[in-house]
Amino acid sequence: MTVLKCHPGIGSRIEGYALVSSDNFSARYDLDRQQGVFSRPEHRLAGESYVGRILVMNTAKGGVASAWMLHEMKARGMAPAAILFNRANTILAQGAALAGLTMCDRFEDGDITQLIQNGDYLIVEPDEGRVTVAR
């Protein structure tokens, strides 16, 4: 097991499987929110289901609409379990808080898109600023 330290995040403790990409993340432009998959053809995760997975991404992109969509996805049961970013923006942090979605960023150990692999089992403890990676 590997323990990664990050800035204290938001949301509750979550466990689940990682879905990783070094791409950036927009709930508005990258996802088919009805089908629960990454839909932008240029995205490295195109065709992959994000529902119930812990997304591990470089950074957030987009504005208020992307943040609002997190809330809509969570309300319909079509949201990721959590999102981990190398660096989030304040709008996505507000959106995750509004949605009740777990989110962490600013990891001390380096680029999380390199440290975590697809399918790794993660335990995310945002209050502690800690993510445990089990392979």
Side-chain angles (χ1 to χ4, degrees):
M1 280 200 221
T2 302
V3 177
L4 304 174
K5 298 294 250 172
C6 61
H7 186 268
I10 56 175
S12 59
R13 182 182 189 276
I14 294 288
E15 295 185 25
Y17 292 97
L19 185 61
V20 182
S21 174
S22 59
D23 287 1
N24 299 330
F25 174 77
S26 168
R28 182 174 185 183
Y29 295 113
D30 293 338
L31 307 179
D32 178 330
R33 294 176 309 281
Q34 300 300 317
Q35 300 299 316
V37 297
F38 280 83
S39 58
R40 188 168 56 87
E42 297 81 16
H43 200 283
R44 290 186 176 109
L45 297 176
E48 294 278 344
S49 174
Y50 60 83
V51 178
R53 304 287 295 273
I54 299 174
L55 298 182
V56 179
M57 301 281 173
N58 182 42
T59 190
K61 61 183 179 182
V64 174
S66 194
W68 168 80
M69 288 173 188
L70 293 179
H71 182 267
E72 182 260 341
M73 291 160 51
K74 180 82 175 195
R76 292 187 309 102
M78 297 293 285
I83 306 176
L84 308 178
F85 289 116
N86 281 317
R87 178 152 307 266
N89 65 29
T90 54
I91 293 173
L92 257 289
Q94 291 171 342
L98 175 66
L101 188 67
T102 298
M103 188 172 82
C104 295
D105 76 338
R106 292 176 271 171
F107 286 78
E108 296 175 1
D109 305 288
D111 183 345
I112 57 167
T113 67
Q114 300 299 313
L115 298 170
I116 300 172
Q117 298 174 3
N118 272 335
D120 283 350
Y121 191 78
L122 307 178
I123 302 167
V124 181
E125 299 169 286
D127 289 347
E128 305 297 325
R130 181 174 50 221
V131 174
T132 303
V133 182
R135 295 200 162 110

